[in-house]
Amino acid sequence: MSLLNLKHIKKVFSEGNESEVQALKDVSFSVEKGDYVAIMGESGAGKSTLLNIIATLDQPTSGEIRLNGVELSHLSENEASKFRREHLGFVFQSFNLLDTFNNRDNIYLPLVLSKKSHQFMENKLAPLSQTLGIENLLERQPSEISGGQKQRVAIARALITDPSLLLADEPTGALDSNNTEKILSVFERINEKGQTILMVTHSAQAASYAQRTLFIKDGKIYNELYRGDQSRSQYLQKIIDSLTALESNGEVR
Amino acid sequence: MIQLKLAVHHLTKSKSQSLPFILSNLMWVTTTYIFLSMIYNTNIRENEYGAVANYVLKLGLIFVILIAALSTFYAERLLSKQRTQELGLYSMLGLTKNNLRQIIFLENSLFYIICTIIGGILGITFSKLAFMSLKALFGAASLHQTFTLIPLVYVAVIFAVIFLMIILFDFWRLRKVNPINLWAKATKPEAEPKSHTLLAIMGMIVLALGYYVSVTVKPTGAAFGQFILAIMLVVVGSYLVFVTASISLLKALRKNQSYYYKPNHFISVSNMLYRMKQNGAGLASISLLCTSILVALIASVSLVAGQKNLINLWSPRDVQIVAKAPLSTSAKQGINELADKHQVTMSDPQTVTVTTPVMGVLKGNQFKAQFNTKTESTFSSLDLQQYNRIQHTHYHLRSNEILVYAPGTNYSQQTLNVRGNRYQVKKQVQSFRGSFVYGHVIYKPIFVVAANQKIARQINPQPNVYAQGFNTRGTKRHQKQFASEVQRFLKIDPSNFTSKYVMGDLLKAMFGSLLFMGILISIVMVCATTMIIYYKQVSEGYADKHNYQIMSKVGLSNKETKKAIRSQVLTVFMLPIIGAVLNLGFALPAIKSVLSLFSMYDLKILLTVSFVTIGVLIISYLLIYLATTNIYRRIVEKN
Ligand SMILES: Nc1ncnc2c1ncn2[C@@H]1O[C@H](COP(=O)(O)OP(=O)(O)OP(=O)(O)O)[C@@H](O)[C@H]1O
Ligand SMILES: [Mg+2]
């Protein structure tokens, strides 16, 4: 059975209003354990909406969504919180680190919420901070480190719970090319270790690191690419071609 | 003028910052005005007790001005941090330092003008309304209010000084930074507060000094300066301690891993620590205001509760005449006739003969006659035979032995030195049914019982006075009329004539107005406290909102949010009330001695009233806490 399964997901904002928006019309796909999936599409296509629904931060208007066999659209608010904490990790474009904590405590946050012991948290953090190269940043405040470093701290926070699924919404959107490269190679490495990743991105370069790319347009999945055994540059070219097709198609319509 | 435009622009643009600042300032202006108008626009000063009340009011005024100045200073500092960024931008665009100074000056002047004008109007309206409604409630008919401009002028001057200091401080800070720093400073998020061990220790020392002064101060005319000193020390000390000690406390809590890494504590400790620099000052203000509410209420309620005792202290009988000689037969005859005329029966006649009381000070075991600002007691003597007769006791005294009756003075010495002689105190007696207050003065009476007349005269060589009293029975109106006619008939001045019924009315009015003042002050302070708490919660709610949103994405459920908020707000709220009760503990001796100026010596009443008042305050405080927590939660949870 797949790790994540979406069937005919539909999302309508302000239903029945004049300002009604059909953000997602009919989205179905599934993600296997160990997958690395990129989601691309124009601004306003509904990528963030889709991610929020998978993240249990929002509920679909209709359709089924299952993660680890749990039907997400039926969760109560408190159950959703618990589910997020135990099964999901998040990385955001704007880092979303808390200024009130130092970096170490920012990373500990989800574990503290799960009432884990301090010893447990320390044991978890040690290998993780090494993988991410943030051992020397832990005692500093988020305001005292660079954007790329912040994103690595945020990734550590997302991974420290061993989530079944790592969700990332434009994780490199606020970073320069050098830092983007670093973050993407981190993702690649943790994926190789078995971490399932679902990443929304605007950058073809970022998507080229993934094994699979979904293209969303007007609230529907428009196209899907698999990397297979292509080289990165070959795959990148394919993604760019697809994007061009996506855009020109938009103009024709 | 471009500077004025920029100042106005900034003031209106950052409404979320400047509006609370204006509101809290308005509150301080209004409070100050109300105090000033009670001091200058009422007839409170007109009698001896009123003069003492006035003195207490002036202490209250100084207290209010101090807190107003400190919290305004603090609020403006937060506001100017915001402004710094704007000023940095202007200076990059080519405005000179001088221009910037003009902007700062204009902006603060605008604040000042808005606050004094509106605050003045609010103050006038509020004190008028309060007077009318509370008068209707208590019927304090002897308290009048007249309108003069003096309080307004004082308010304007006081706040002009405060704002001038703020402007100078801003100038000074402007001088230290160059345009690039100005720009960079505001964009950087607040760094974690440092612990200031030195300041914390200093704060505790200052506070301890303040406590020491307030415990030791004696309520004489000379003590005004000492009271002010105590108030200043406690206010400054409270601010220092709250600002520094709270940070140290939170850091210590954070170090304790088994405490810190619990969901509630984790969030609340870090949130509070992050904002403690602002928080500390707010907490100190709340704590001090709660203290003042307690002091005002306790003092005025105890006075009213002890009112009955006061009349009994003045005179043991319903009617008492104090004279240099026993009443003549014709005078007695006249009184009898008046009694018949007013259908009043007289009973229990009693004459107490004592040496004329002298004013002075009891220091250690030494009584020294003196009449100046240090005077505390009146001192007189009588012979044992009289005492035994009145009290139905059988004491025996040797020629060097005495009994001491000193209500309100805890005289624990074995001996008493007076006029070069030393006497053995055989006992400090707890009752003397002949005790009276000579001339209705505000000093504590001391009576010394000696073996015989000769020794009594040796102790106090003044001529005898005769306190002659009797009880009366009849209708209340008749008794009152009778008493007034007796006074007129004997032609004695009011200070040597006591009638419980006439006096009772007078005192009721007098203490009614004191109670009224106490309640008025408390209401003003409660409003001030509530406002501060409310704005603290609202502004923090907006500041914390983003954090809670992030945490909810990471998996903080609604239930846990509620718990974390409760834990945070509770900690923040418990500190000031603990501080207030502690302050009160050290203020009680001072309250007790000020109350003794009103001849209120009953410690039991004072303590009972204190406990009840603290209970009421904590309950109301909890209610405010619950209400504001809800507001805070709604802001935080709203998307
Ligand atoms: N809370 C909301 N209420 C109403 N409409 C919304 C809401 N959130 C999103 N939308 C609308 O739904 C559509 C999809 O938005 P979404 O944020 O998913 O786009 P996106 O693909 O993430 O775009 P971008 O790449 O710019 O982030 C947009 O038209 C947006 O205006
Ligand atoms: Mg988006």
Side-chain angles (χ1 to χ4, degrees), chain B residues 334-350:
Chain B
I335 293 174
N336 279 333
E337 278 166 22
L338 284 172
D340 286 345
K341 183 180 151 199
H342 290 285
Q343 299 155 23
V344 167
T345 52
M346 299 186 290
S347 61
D348 318 315
Q350 170 180 288

Side-chain angles (χ1 to χ4, degrees), chain A residues 77 81 84-85 101 105 118, chain B residues 260-261 270 552 558 560:
Chain A
E77 214 171 328
S81 297
R84 277 204 290 282
R85 212 156 63 202
F101 293 113
D105 289 345
H118 183 244
Chain B
Y260 179 55
Y261 289 111
S270 64
S552 115
N558 264 348
E560 286 162 328

Side-chain angles (χ1 to χ4, degrees), chain A residues 13 21 23 42-49 170 202:
Chain A
F13 287 109
V21 182
E42 289 173 342
S43 184
K47 307 182 294 292
S48 296
T49 309
E170 299 182 36
H202 274 285

Side-chain angles (χ1 to χ4, degrees), chain B residues 309-323:
Chain B
N309 291 3
L310 178 55
I311 307 179
N312 290 335
L313 212 68
W314 274 2
S315 145
R317 292 285 186 270
D318 289 349
V319 176
Q320 179 173 268
I321 299 135
V322 177

Side-chain angles (χ1 to χ4, degrees), chain A residues 11-14 19-24 40-52 58 93 169-170 200-202 216:
Chain A
K11 179 70 187 179
V12 185
F13 287 109
S14 359
S19 55
E20 180 178 302
V21 182
Q22 289 211 7
L24 297 175
M40 297 196 75
E42 289 173 342
S43 184
K47 307 182 294 292
S48 296
T49 309
L50 179 62
L51 207 69
N52 285 342
D58 209 345
Q93 174 178 0
D169 194 353
E170 299 182 36
V200 165
T201 180
H202 274 285
I216 291 196

Side-chain angles (χ1 to χ4, degrees), chain B residues 401-550:
Chain B
E401 285 179 335
I402 53 169
L403 301 175
V404 174
Y405 177 67
T409 317
N410 207 355
Y411 193 76
S412 51
Q413 306 282 342
Q414 298 296 314
T415 56
L416 177 70
N417 282 5
V418 60
R419 292 172 33 82
N421 293 318
R422 160 187 289 227
Y423 301 92
Q424 287 294 325
V425 178
K426 185 161 185 191
K427 194 178 178 197
Q428 185 181 357
V429 288
Q430 294 306 319
S431 156
F432 175 38
R433 284 195 285 273
S435 171
F436 64 97
V437 176
Y438 184 63
H440 299 162
V441 291
I442 59 175
Y443 309 117
K444 300 173 196 172
I446 300 174
F447 290 93
V448 170
V449 182
N452 56 45
Q453 269 289 342
K454 207 180 118 224
I455 300 170
R457 178 68 30 88
Q458 199 179 46
I459 292 170
N460 183 25
Q462 303 291 325
N464 281 343
V465 286
Y466 301 83
Q468 302 153 87
F470 48 83
N471 287 335
T472 54
R473 228 170 310 146
T475 67
K476 210 173 171 186
R477 195 167 55 93
H478 283 145
Q479 294 191 60
K480 230 191 284 185
Q481 283 170 349
F482 165 68
S484 331
E485 282 215 29
V486 169
Q487 188 197 342
R488 230 170 300 142
F489 166 70
L490 294 174
K491 298 197 182 58
I492 36 179
D493 69 293
S495 66
N496 284 324
F497 181 82
T498 314
S499 152
K500 282 195 184 161
Y501 290 102
V502 177
M503 236 49 223
D505 281 1
L506 240 144
L507 286 181
K508 213 183 244 161
M510 169 73 221
F511 285 117
S513 40
L514 288 181
L515 178 66
F516 160 78
M517 266 174 28
I519 289 176
L520 182 59
I521 290 171
S522 308
I523 289 176
V524 172
M525 292 303 187
V526 166
C527 290
T529 317
T530 314
M531 289 262 286
I532 291 184
I533 293 176
Y534 178 78
Y535 275 105
K536 218 170 102 55
Q537 294 292 79
V538 169
S539 62
E540 282 175 16
Y542 282 110
D544 291 347
K545 195 182 159 120
H546 178 63
N547 285 0
Y548 275 105
Q549 274 170 359
I550 294 177

